[in-house]
Amino acid sequence: MRILELPIEYEFNNQKSYLYPSLIVKDNDLTLVDTGYPGFLPLIEHEILKNGFTISQLKQIIITHYDDDHIGSLYEFKQKYPWIQVISSAIEAKYICGAEKSERLVQAEQMLEQMTGEAADFGNWFVQQLNNLQHAAVDQTVQDGDMILDNQCKIIATPGHTSGHISLYFPAIKAVVTGDAAVAENGQLIVANPQFCLNLEQAEHSLNKVKNLGAKKYFCYHGGNISVNSTVI
């Protein structure tokens, strides 16, 4: 088993930005972790093909949590490749499939009430962005401690950024896919967007939880991967 980083370049507010979905390679099968913003399907397809794989090898998509930059293209993947199985925590599954309004949308609507001027313009755009997300069915739900991918991947509950956020730990290769439980900045792991965390105290606890797994490599959706030589960063 190995994990590849898929650097996705895009523009946001006229600035070049990157996201780093992870591609888990096990035997001849692929598992994608998170799907970028809406419209990112071709960009991710290109990266998968560039690494020498075919899309027919993509069997599963794991969603770490419900945010527009993580689930944005999930519906497109399921429509184009209906065999793909979607995995998430039970909490996030309710929002991904549309059974309940997402925590992020509730938060955004509440924050918008306090905004004025340019901040309100952004707030309105963000609420609309969340309202426009298309829902997709979740095929398998997981919880803390579950082992998936032939018992080679352990689900780590990392709430805080959202209530049902999960990260993925691979003991055999000492690697963690963090989602937004941690972002890479200046060679360090830090809390992702503290101002948007639904519970900052939980987010800080989850950050320490992934730091203390004893991993040698952390694959961060924001900031890319970090290799470490110690158990605590």
Side-chain angles (χ1 to χ4, degrees):
M1 175 175 284
R2 58 194 173 113
I3 302 172
L4 301 177
E5 185 177 81
L6 304 181
I8 306 297
E9 180 183 322
Y10 65 104
E11 280 198 9
F12 187 77
N13 286 339
N14 296 317
Q15 292 186 341
K16 186 183 295 185
S17 298
Y18 289 89
L19 294 177
Y20 299 90
S22 293
L23 189 68
I24 302 163
V25 183
K26 187 181 123 5
D27 301 324
N28 291 316
D29 292 341
L30 304 176
T31 299
L32 177 67
V33 185
D34 294 329
T35 65
Y37 286 105
F40 273 34
L41 171 59
L43 301 177
I44 296 175
E45 285 176 324
H46 175 75
E47 288 298 318
I48 291 174
L49 296 173
K50 193 169 79 172
N51 277 280
F53 303 108
T54 65
I55 303 300
S56 64
Q57 293 174 264
L58 183 58
K59 306 302 182 184
Q60 298 174 113
I61 293 176
I62 300 173
I63 298 296
T64 59
H65 66 291
Y66 187 101
D67 256 333
D68 61 334
D69 56 336
H70 291 256
I71 70 147
S73 290
L74 178 62
Y75 176 83
E76 298 164 59
F77 269 100
K78 284 288 283 185
Q79 287 296 298
K80 190 171 183 179
Y81 308 115
W83 67 80
I84 293 175
Q85 298 289 291
V86 177
I87 301 171
S88 79
S89 72
I91 293 174
E92 302 296 317
K94 296 181 296 184
Y95 313 133
I96 295 168
C97 75
E100 292 185 17
K101 180 188 287 191
S102 76
E103 295 174 312
R104 187 66 73 216
L105 179 54
V106 171
Q107 179 195 46
E109 289 174 339
Q110 291 173 345
M111 293 175 70
L112 179 59
E113 294 176 359
Q114 310 302 320
M115 292 177 175
T116 58
E118 290 185 3
D121 291 339
F122 172 80
N124 276 305
W125 172 84
F126 188 49
V127 167
Q128 191 61 47
Q129 179 88 345
L130 292 170
N131 274 319
N132 287 341
L133 288 174
Q134 293 178 288
H135 301 295
V138 174
D139 302 291
Q140 179 183 352
T141 59
V142 291
Q143 60 185 359
D144 190 42
D146 283 353
M147 299 296 296
I148 61 173
L149 303 181
D150 291 336
N151 291 322
Q152 295 188 56
C153 173
K154 184 176 184 179
I155 301 298
I156 307 295
T158 46
H161 190 75
T162 65
S163 297
H165 190 291
I166 56 172
S167 300
L168 312 174
Y169 176 46
F170 300 82
I173 59 174
K174 297 187 181 303
V176 177
V177 176
T178 68
D180 279 358
V183 299
E185 188 173 298
N186 298 321
Q188 300 292 317
L189 297 177
I190 63 172
V191 170
N193 293 321
Q195 70 274 25
F196 290 116
C197 287
L198 292 172
N199 187 315
L200 184 55
E201 183 178 351
Q202 279 189 337
E204 290 170 343
H205 175 76
S206 291
L207 174 63
N208 288 327
K209 188 175 181 179
V210 297
K211 283 182 175 183
N212 289 323
L213 286 170
K216 298 299 183 183
K217 190 166 238 182
Y218 290 84
F219 290 86
C220 300
Y221 196 71
H222 300 281
N225 72 81
I226 294 180
S227 296
V228 300
N229 297 314
S230 60
T231 57
V232 179
I233 300 175

